[in-house]
Amino acid sequence: AVVQADLLANHSTVGPADNGNLVFGNATGNSYDLVGIRQAYLAVNFPHVTVIGGRYEVKLGNGLVLNDTSDLVAVTAPVGPVNLLVGYLILGENDSGANGINPPAGSTNDNKAFAVNAGLKNVAGSGWDGNLFFVSADISAAMENTLTVIGLTGNGKVGPASVAAELDFFSGDETSSVGYEGTNLLLAGSMPVGSVGL
């Protein structure tokens, strides 16, 4: 069991403070001013799987799509060399009072997502880690508003440099006549330069 608190959270004049990266969803990572619960989850280990339930910090790939806390139920399991995660997430709790004076009631109004993540460490002994994820989300309670993301990442070293790469594909429907389509591309690198005397 894990509980993580935010102390002296970001100040917000109305409603909850926001300590997460709201890349995907509209109300994840919220904590009230002064003290809030960022994570509170239970992980139960079985011989071949681990079951996780509660508020959990979720990062897909390098965090371009989702890097925040979410209420979830997830199962992780090693499948050969692949570490597989399958989860059901609540991205926005729209029936809570924090999101409006008269919020719509009922769990059917929450922003929900189904996610599958497959990670591979040290691919073929190369020192590179690969990651493939799929997310299907209902991101609006007011209308038919769905978003699907497929992402592929690769992180490793090229000589002395550390390299991170990610490619994401977005598709979905905001309304019956308006759709989502887009791509994320990340290529980042860093390397040590030694000490500099001043």
Side-chain angles (χ1 to χ4, degrees), residues 164-191:
E166 180 167 344
L167 181 62
D168 305 316
F169 298 98
F170 296 82
S171 63
D173 297 307
E174 182 178 9
T175 64
S176 59
S177 59
V178 179
Y180 295 115
E181 186 175 349
T183 305
N184 277 341
L185 175 61
L186 168 74
L187 184 60
S190 63
M191 62 184 301

mmCIF file of all heavy atoms in Angstrom, residues 164-191:
data_model
loop_
_atom_site.group_PDB
_atom_site.id
_atom_site.type_symbol
_atom_site.label_atom_id
_atom_site.label_comp_id
_atom_site.label_asym_id
_atom_site.label_seq_id
_atom_site.Cartn_x
_atom_site.Cartn_y
_atom_site.Cartn_z
ATOM 1 N N ALA A 164 16.388 9.764 -26.265
ATOM 2 C CA ALA A 164 14.982 9.417 -26.043
ATOM 3 C C ALA A 164 14.206 9.761 -27.304
ATOM 4 O O ALA A 164 14.339 10.861 -27.845
ATOM 5 C CB ALA A 164 14.415 10.171 -24.847
ATOM 6 N N ALA A 165 13.403 8.823 -27.794
ATOM 7 C CA ALA A 165 12.610 9.036 -29.003
ATOM 8 C C ALA A 165 11.190 8.559 -28.754
ATOM 9 O O ALA A 165 10.969 7.583 -28.033
ATOM 10 C CB ALA A 165 13.213 8.295 -30.188
ATOM 11 N N GLU A 166 10.219 9.270 -29.333
ATOM 12 C CA GLU A 166 8.821 8.865 -29.207
ATOM 13 C C GLU A 166 8.051 9.315 -30.436
ATOM 14 O O GLU A 166 8.257 10.421 -30.948
ATOM 15 C CB GLU A 166 8.181 9.452 -27.948
ATOM 16 C CG GLU A 166 6.728 9.063 -27.784
ATOM 17 C CD GLU A 166 6.167 9.370 -26.404
ATOM 18 O OE1 GLU A 166 6.970 9.610 -25.464
ATOM 19 O OE2 GLU A 166 4.935 9.377 -26.267
ATOM 20 N N LEU A 167 7.128 8.460 -30.892
ATOM 21 C CA LEU A 167 6.246 8.768 -32.010
ATOM 22 C C LEU A 167 4.836 8.363 -31.602
ATOM 23 O O LEU A 167 4.605 7.206 -31.225
ATOM 24 C CB LEU A 167 6.676 8.019 -33.268
ATOM 25 C CG LEU A 167 5.862 8.247 -34.536
ATOM 26 C CD1 LEU A 167 5.928 9.711 -34.971
ATOM 27 C CD2 LEU A 167 6.361 7.334 -35.651
ATOM 28 N N ASP A 168 3.887 9.312 -31.644
ATOM 29 C CA ASP A 168 2.504 9.062 -31.255
ATOM 30 C C ASP A 168 1.574 9.414 -32.405
ATOM 31 O O ASP A 168 1.773 10.427 -33.089
ATOM 32 C CB ASP A 168 2.108 9.922 -30.041
ATOM 33 C CG ASP A 168 3.032 9.738 -28.862
ATOM 34 O OD1 ASP A 168 3.374 8.580 -28.563
ATOM 35 O OD2 ASP A 168 3.404 10.749 -28.239
ATOM 36 N N PHE A 169 0.540 8.595 -32.590
ATOM 37 C CA PHE A 169 -0.473 8.841 -33.605
ATOM 38 C C PHE A 169 -1.832 9.002 -32.921
ATOM 39 O O PHE A 169 -2.232 8.157 -32.119
ATOM 40 C CB PHE A 169 -0.538 7.680 -34.597
ATOM 41 C CG PHE A 169 0.730 7.464 -35.364
ATOM 42 C CD1 PHE A 169 1.640 6.497 -34.957
ATOM 43 C CD2 PHE A 169 1.033 8.230 -36.473
ATOM 44 C CE1 PHE A 169 2.825 6.291 -35.658
ATOM 45 C CE2 PHE A 169 2.213 8.039 -37.183
ATOM 46 C CZ PHE A 169 3.109 7.069 -36.773
ATOM 47 N N PHE A 170 -2.523 10.109 -33.233
ATOM 48 C CA PHE A 170 -3.818 10.424 -32.631
ATOM 49 C C PHE A 170 -4.918 10.312 -33.675
ATOM 50 O O PHE A 170 -4.758 10.757 -34.816
ATOM 51 C CB PHE A 170 -3.828 11.859 -32.091
ATOM 52 C CG PHE A 170 -2.862 12.117 -30.983
ATOM 53 C CD1 PHE A 170 -1.528 12.386 -31.251
ATOM 54 C CD2 PHE A 170 -3.267 12.093 -29.658
ATOM 55 C CE1 PHE A 170 -0.615 12.634 -30.235
ATOM 56 C CE2 PHE A 170 -2.375 12.344 -28.635
ATOM 57 C CZ PHE A 170 -1.043 12.613 -28.923
ATOM 58 N N SER A 171 -6.048 9.765 -33.271
ATOM 59 C CA SER A 171 -7.238 9.760 -34.114
ATOM 60 C C SER A 171 -8.462 9.728 -33.202
ATOM 61 O O SER A 171 -8.363 9.386 -32.030
ATOM 62 C CB SER A 171 -7.251 8.558 -35.060
ATOM 63 O OG SER A 171 -7.300 7.350 -34.326
ATOM 64 N N GLY A 172 -9.615 10.090 -33.749
ATOM 65 C CA GLY A 172 -10.832 10.061 -32.952
ATOM 66 C C GLY A 172 -11.869 11.022 -33.487
ATOM 67 O O GLY A 172 -11.683 11.650 -34.539
ATOM 68 N N ASP A 173 -12.969 11.136 -32.759
ATOM 69 C CA ASP A 173 -14.090 11.982 -33.154
ATOM 70 C C ASP A 173 -14.483 12.890 -32.012
ATOM 71 O O ASP A 173 -14.786 12.413 -30.915
ATOM 72 C CB ASP A 173 -15.296 11.129 -33.552
ATOM 73 C CG ASP A 173 -15.004 10.269 -34.769
ATOM 74 O OD1 ASP A 173 -14.555 10.839 -35.780
ATOM 75 O OD2 ASP A 173 -15.212 9.052 -34.701
ATOM 76 N N GLU A 174 -14.488 14.206 -32.293
ATOM 77 C CA GLU A 174 -15.010 15.156 -31.310
ATOM 78 C C GLU A 174 -16.525 15.199 -31.398
ATOM 79 O O GLU A 174 -17.221 15.184 -30.388
ATOM 80 C CB GLU A 174 -14.430 16.547 -31.544
ATOM 81 C CG GLU A 174 -14.898 17.562 -30.511
ATOM 82 C CD GLU A 174 -14.281 18.924 -30.736
ATOM 83 O OE1 GLU A 174 -13.629 19.146 -31.755
ATOM 84 O OE2 GLU A 174 -14.475 19.783 -29.850
ATOM 85 N N THR A 175 -17.038 15.273 -32.610
ATOM 86 C CA THR A 175 -18.466 15.170 -32.878
ATOM 87 C C THR A 175 -18.625 14.292 -34.113
ATOM 88 O O THR A 175 -17.640 13.793 -34.661
ATOM 89 C CB THR A 175 -19.092 16.555 -33.146
ATOM 90 O OG1 THR A 175 -18.527 17.099 -34.342
ATOM 91 C CG2 THR A 175 -18.834 17.513 -31.982
ATOM 92 N N SER A 176 -19.858 14.130 -34.570
ATOM 93 C CA SER A 176 -20.090 13.313 -35.757
ATOM 94 C C SER A 176 -19.469 13.918 -37.001
ATOM 95 O O SER A 176 -19.210 13.219 -37.977
ATOM 96 C CB SER A 176 -21.589 13.111 -35.964
ATOM 97 O OG SER A 176 -22.230 14.370 -36.108
ATOM 98 N N SER A 177 -19.201 15.233 -36.997
ATOM 99 C CA SER A 177 -18.655 15.891 -38.188
ATOM 100 C C SER A 177 -17.246 16.438 -38.001
ATOM 101 O O SER A 177 -16.638 16.925 -38.944
ATOM 102 C CB SER A 177 -19.575 17.044 -38.612
ATOM 103 O OG SER A 177 -19.701 17.989 -37.555
ATOM 104 N N VAL A 178 -16.713 16.387 -36.773
ATOM 105 C CA VAL A 178 -15.377 16.919 -36.485
ATOM 106 C C VAL A 178 -14.537 15.808 -35.868
ATOM 107 O O VAL A 178 -14.967 15.149 -34.917
ATOM 108 C CB VAL A 178 -15.436 18.124 -35.522
ATOM 109 C CG1 VAL A 178 -14.027 18.631 -35.224
ATOM 110 C CG2 VAL A 178 -16.288 19.235 -36.104
ATOM 111 N N GLY A 179 -13.337 15.579 -36.421
ATOM 112 C CA GLY A 179 -12.492 14.502 -35.932
ATOM 113 C C GLY A 179 -11.150 14.989 -35.437
ATOM 114 O O GLY A 179 -10.763 16.140 -35.647
ATOM 115 N N TYR A 180 -10.449 14.091 -34.739
ATOM 116 C CA TYR A 180 -9.083 14.336 -34.291
ATOM 117 C C TYR A 180 -8.115 13.600 -35.205
ATOM 118 O O TYR A 180 -8.356 12.464 -35.598
ATOM 119 C CB TYR A 180 -8.864 13.813 -32.873
ATOM 120 C CG TYR A 180 -9.649 14.504 -31.799
ATOM 121 C CD1 TYR A 180 -10.623 13.826 -31.088
ATOM 122 C CD2 TYR A 180 -9.392 15.829 -31.474
ATOM 123 C CE1 TYR A 180 -11.338 14.442 -30.073
ATOM 124 C CE2 TYR A 180 -10.098 16.454 -30.465
ATOM 125 C CZ TYR A 180 -11.067 15.766 -29.769
ATOM 126 O OH TYR A 180 -11.771 16.380 -28.776
ATOM 127 N N GLU A 181 -6.998 14.253 -35.500
ATOM 128 C CA GLU A 181 -5.924 13.585 -36.221
ATOM 129 C C GLU A 181 -4.643 14.338 -35.933
ATOM 130 O O GLU A 181 -4.599 15.577 -36.017
ATOM 131 C CB GLU A 181 -6.195 13.572 -37.724
ATOM 132 C CG GLU A 181 -5.174 12.770 -38.523
ATOM 133 C CD GLU A 181 -5.525 12.670 -40.002
ATOM 134 O OE1 GLU A 181 -6.655 13.031 -40.369
ATOM 135 O OE2 GLU A 181 -4.651 12.243 -40.765
ATOM 136 N N GLY A 182 -3.596 13.635 -35.564
ATOM 137 C CA GLY A 182 -2.346 14.324 -35.267
ATOM 138 C C GLY A 182 -1.221 13.363 -34.969
ATOM 139 O O GLY A 182 -1.412 12.151 -34.876
ATOM 140 N N THR A 183 -0.032 13.935 -34.819
ATOM 141 C CA THR A 183 1.179 13.149 -34.573
ATOM 142 C C THR A 183 2.084 13.911 -33.620
ATOM 143 O O THR A 183 2.235 15.130 -33.742
ATOM 144 C CB THR A 183 1.942 12.900 -35.892
ATOM 145 O OG1 THR A 183 1.070 12.295 -36.832
ATOM 146 C CG2 THR A 183 3.133 12.002 -35.656
ATOM 147 N N ASN A 184 2.656 13.204 -32.657
ATOM 148 C CA ASN A 184 3.737 13.725 -31.825
ATOM 149 C C ASN A 184 5.043 13.086 -32.261
ATOM 150 O O ASN A 184 5.087 11.883 -32.529
ATOM 151 C CB ASN A 184 3.533 13.349 -30.348
ATOM 152 C CG ASN A 184 2.603 14.275 -29.618
ATOM 153 O OD1 ASN A 184 2.354 15.392 -30.040
ATOM 154 N ND2 ASN A 184 2.081 13.800 -28.498
ATOM 155 N N LEU A 185 6.100 13.872 -32.298
ATOM 156 C CA LEU A 185 7.425 13.327 -32.556
ATOM 157 C C LEU A 185 8.401 13.962 -31.586
ATOM 158 O O LEU A 185 8.500 15.192 -31.502
ATOM 159 C CB LEU A 185 7.869 13.604 -33.993
ATOM 160 C CG LEU A 185 9.309 13.172 -34.345
ATOM 161 C CD1 LEU A 185 9.474 11.668 -34.166
ATOM 162 C CD2 LEU A 185 9.662 13.604 -35.758
ATOM 163 N N LEU A 186 9.096 13.126 -30.829
ATOM 164 C CA LEU A 186 10.093 13.593 -29.872
ATOM 165 C C LEU A 186 11.412 12.916 -30.171
ATOM 166 O O LEU A 186 11.479 11.700 -30.339
ATOM 167 C CB LEU A 186 9.680 13.262 -28.435
ATOM 168 C CG LEU A 186 10.780 13.437 -27.370
ATOM 169 C CD1 LEU A 186 11.017 14.911 -27.105
ATOM 170 C CD2 LEU A 186 10.415 12.721 -26.090
ATOM 171 N N LEU A 187 12.474 13.705 -30.233
ATOM 172 C CA LEU A 187 13.835 13.178 -30.311
ATOM 173 C C LEU A 187 14.696 14.068 -29.426
ATOM 174 O O LEU A 187 14.863 15.256 -29.705
ATOM 175 C CB LEU A 187 14.350 13.183 -31.752
ATOM 176 C CG LEU A 187 15.738 12.571 -31.956
ATOM 177 C CD1 LEU A 187 15.747 11.112 -31.519
ATOM 178 C CD2 LEU A 187 16.174 12.696 -33.409
ATOM 179 N N ALA A 188 15.185 13.501 -28.345
ATOM 180 C CA ALA A 188 15.947 14.278 -27.371
ATOM 181 C C ALA A 188 17.221 13.539 -27.019
ATOM 182 O O ALA A 188 17.288 12.307 -27.097
ATOM 183 C CB ALA A 188 15.117 14.523 -26.111
ATOM 184 N N GLY A 189 18.240 14.285 -26.638
ATOM 185 C CA GLY A 189 19.504 13.677 -26.270
ATOM 186 C C GLY A 189 20.245 14.500 -25.243
ATOM 187 O O GLY A 189 20.025 15.712 -25.119
ATOM 188 N N SER A 190 21.111 13.843 -24.510
ATOM 189 C CA SER A 190 21.946 14.534 -23.529
ATOM 190 C C SER A 190 23.238 13.762 -23.367
ATOM 191 O O SER A 190 23.309 12.567 -23.645
ATOM 192 C CB SER A 190 21.219 14.641 -22.176
ATOM 193 O OG SER A 190 20.984 13.357 -21.639
ATOM 194 N N MET A 191 24.268 14.464 -22.932
ATOM 195 C CA MET A 191 25.535 13.797 -22.678
ATOM 196 C C MET A 191 26.344 14.593 -21.664
ATOM 197 O O MET A 191 26.178 15.816 -21.541
ATOM 198 C CB MET A 191 26.346 13.637 -23.962
ATOM 199 C CG MET A 191 26.744 14.916 -24.653
ATOM 200 S SD MET A 191 27.594 14.600 -26.228
ATOM 201 C CE MET A 191 28.987 13.640 -25.677
#
